[in-house]
Amino acid sequence: MSIAINTIEENLLEENKRGSCPSEFGFGTVFSDHMFTQEYEVGRGWYDAEISPYHNLSLDPSAAVLHYSQEIFEGLKAYRTPDGGINLFRPEDNFARFNRSARRMVMPEVDSAFHLEALTRLISIDQSWVPNQEGSSLYIRPTMIATSPKIGLGASANYCHFIIVGPAGPYFTGGFNPISVYISDDYRRAVVGGVGEAKTGGNYAASLFISEDVAKKGYTQVLWLDAVEGRYVEEVGAMNICFVYEGKRIVTPALSGSILAGITRDSVLQLAPTLGYEISEERLDINQILADIKSGLITEVFGCGTAAVISPVGQFAFKGEDYVINNNQSGDVSKHLYDELTGIQYGIKDDPFGWTQKVQL
Ligand code: PLP
Ligand code: COI
């Protein structure tokens, strides 16, 4: 299928936003001049692929997504390299996860090669939007929504797949500084057999109640425990979680069926052994983790995700007690991994894994 290209003259009003990402942009608030869209109908397949000026979507108020949240999304980034080029990081892995999410949510899959072509053409058209400040990137949000005008419950017959992109700075306002994480004792994110493994909006909506409540008390993220026993560590709101034992062994929860299989998590698991760290994926009891923090066996904790990159955790709160890690300072292992991973992403360091690919501009 070909992609119709309908570009606008560069928007002069937005001129000052291109190529940079000042801190007031924060994360996910500014978007580029164009977007990609395509439509789907059962029996017809995908049609009307188009790159056009960034615009509002027009939906019937009865559109299925508005009522039953049949929706999926992805998050990846494009990085400005020192030679002025643009790198994508493991995009096929995001598109494979998009299709896994689609299958779980009874939505149509998108051909990965076509998805990549649509994205690279969009980035090429809006290349002036890829920021070049340190730590900034172009955040990419592929999304699919169910659009059939029908409020009877059932899988939609129509879908819209779109990609929007925008310059993004650090996800957390403090940059590479430790965050405080609240461990939820009462509320659960996802259950095995449910949709926790899928990147679907409802998982995030379900997390808002307690997240907003504890944000008022200064906690940046919520750590979720398994929904059956409320005992095993799963993940954090926007990240997977890793614990560093004695500065040399990195432990992360094994994928349980309710944890999102993070691409950054997988990158850490592949990268860390090449830097001299041991790694393991285990079922982690929160009581043991907190005891190991108290005894000092756990020397660092960090979250990892596309938006958050590697984010040190300085403190946990659980059942009214605080657990401080590494004196609430960022640690050497987190910094080492951050430097190596971002070095690869930004094309500053060699990429022995073949994770990055240059966008043809
Ligand atoms: N877990 C959740 C719930 C997330 O939203 C994310 C972010 O995408 C992650 C983990 C990390 O996944 P990735 O590294 O693929 O961005
Ligand atoms: C990402 O890291 O890309 C995500 O999708 C997390 C989101 C909550 C910002």
Side-chain angles (χ1 to χ4, degrees):
M1 185 174 40
S2 64
I3 302 173
I5 309 281
N6 166 22
T7 55
I8 44 164
E9 289 296 307
E10 288 189 343
N11 184 343
L12 291 177
L13 283 175
E14 301 288 323
E15 178 70 55
N16 61 345
K17 293 188 178 169
R18 278 195 235 110
S20 73
C21 188
S23 56
E24 67 265 24
F25 284 13
F27 175 87
T29 56
V30 175
F31 298 96
S32 73
D33 290 324
H34 296 92
M35 65 191 287
F36 168 83
T37 49
Q38 63 173 340
E39 307 293 326
Y40 181 93
E41 188 170 347
V42 170
R44 179 174 177 187
W46 289 108
Y47 61 95
D48 278 0
E50 185 179 23
I51 291 174
S52 56
Y54 191 93
H55 59 272
N56 289 345
L57 298 175
S58 174
L59 288 179
D60 191 292
S62 69
V65 64
L66 302 176
H67 301 272
Y68 306 120
S69 306
Q70 205 189 355
E71 185 266 4
I72 58 169
F73 69 97
E74 264 307 322
L76 64 160
K77 284 174 171 172
Y79 305 85
R80 183 68 76 181
T81 56
D83 60 1
I86 297 171
N87 270 356
L88 285 171
F89 183 73
R90 305 185 66 176
E92 279 96 353
D93 294 280
N94 288 92
F95 299 148
R97 188 170 66 189
F98 193 72
N99 282 342
R100 290 202 302 277
S101 300
R103 287 195 290 276
R104 180 64 182 86
M105 301 303 287
V106 206
M107 301 172 90
E109 294 184 31
V110 175
D111 177 77
S112 277
F114 183 73
H115 208 158
L116 185 60
E117 184 191 337
L119 174 60
T120 51
R121 292 188 77 173
L122 175 62
I123 293 176
S124 170
I125 288 167
D126 278 350
Q127 56 183 278
S128 61
W129 283 89
V130 182
N132 55 21
Q133 274 142 320
E134 201 184 329
S136 66
S137 54
L138 189 80
Y139 187 75
I140 301 159
R141 178 49 66 90
T143 309
M144 194 196 303
I145 55 173
T147 54
S148 287
K150 176 184 158 218
I151 56 173
L153 180 59
S156 176
N158 303 82
Y159 297 88
C160 174
H161 166 218
F162 61 89
I163 308 175
I164 53 175
V165 303
Y171 188 67
F172 300 119
T173 44
F176 191 78
N177 282 316
I179 55 167
S180 294
V181 172
Y182 181 88
I183 302 172
S184 177
D185 190 26
D186 300 336
Y187 296 91
R188 307 289 176 225
R189 171 184 181 271
V191 63
V192 176
V195 294
E197 274 185 330
K199 209 159 165 60
T200 181
N203 288 330
Y204 297 80
S207 76
L208 293 180
F209 180 79
I210 187 70
S211 306
E212 290 295 309
D213 191 44
V214 300
K216 294 184 205 116
K217 298 172 192 146
Y219 298 102
T220 314
Q221 293 272 289
V222 170
L223 183 138
W224 304 103
L225 301 175
D226 79 280
V228 177
E229 295 186 58
R231 180 169 159 200
Y232 298 103
V233 177
E234 299 235 304
E235 60 186 321
V236 179
M239 314 183 282
N240 294 110
I241 187 100
C242 297
F243 303 91
V244 182
Y245 278 81
E246 300 175 294
K248 55 177 190 282
R249 192 164 67 90
I250 299 168
V251 185
T252 191
L255 298 177
S256 59
S258 50
I259 297 175
L260 189 79
I263 291 156
T264 320
R265 172 188 181 279
D266 184 68
S267 305
V268 166
L269 290 174
Q270 291 192 54
L271 179 63
T274 69
L275 304 174
Y277 303 108
E278 291 165 42
I279 48 145
S280 64
E281 299 171 74
E282 294 172 23
R283 198 176 197 205
L284 299 175
D285 186 321
I286 189 63
N287 299 306
Q288 188 60 50
I289 289 289
L290 296 175
D292 293 345
I293 290 173
K294 274 203 155 166
S295 73
L297 266 182
I298 290 182
T299 45
E300 283 177 56
V301 180
F302 62 88
C304 56
T306 299
V309 198
I310 303 278
S311 286
V313 176
Q315 194 172 343
F316 283 122
F318 187 52
K319 297 187 176 177
E321 215 181 315
D322 289 334
Y323 299 81
V324 176
I325 305 131
N326 197 30
N327 291 322
N328 210 354
Q329 303 295 311
S330 61
D332 294 343
V333 180
S334 320
K335 185 72 173 72
H336 192 187
L337 286 165
Y338 177 90
D339 288 343
E340 293 295 325
L341 183 64
T342 55
I344 294 173
Q345 291 169 330
Y346 285 88
I348 296 162
K349 297 197 178 221
D350 286 344
D351 174 13
F353 304 96
W355 284 335
T356 51
Q357 45 184 278
K358 273 202 169 305
V359 178
Q360 292 307 319
L361 299 175

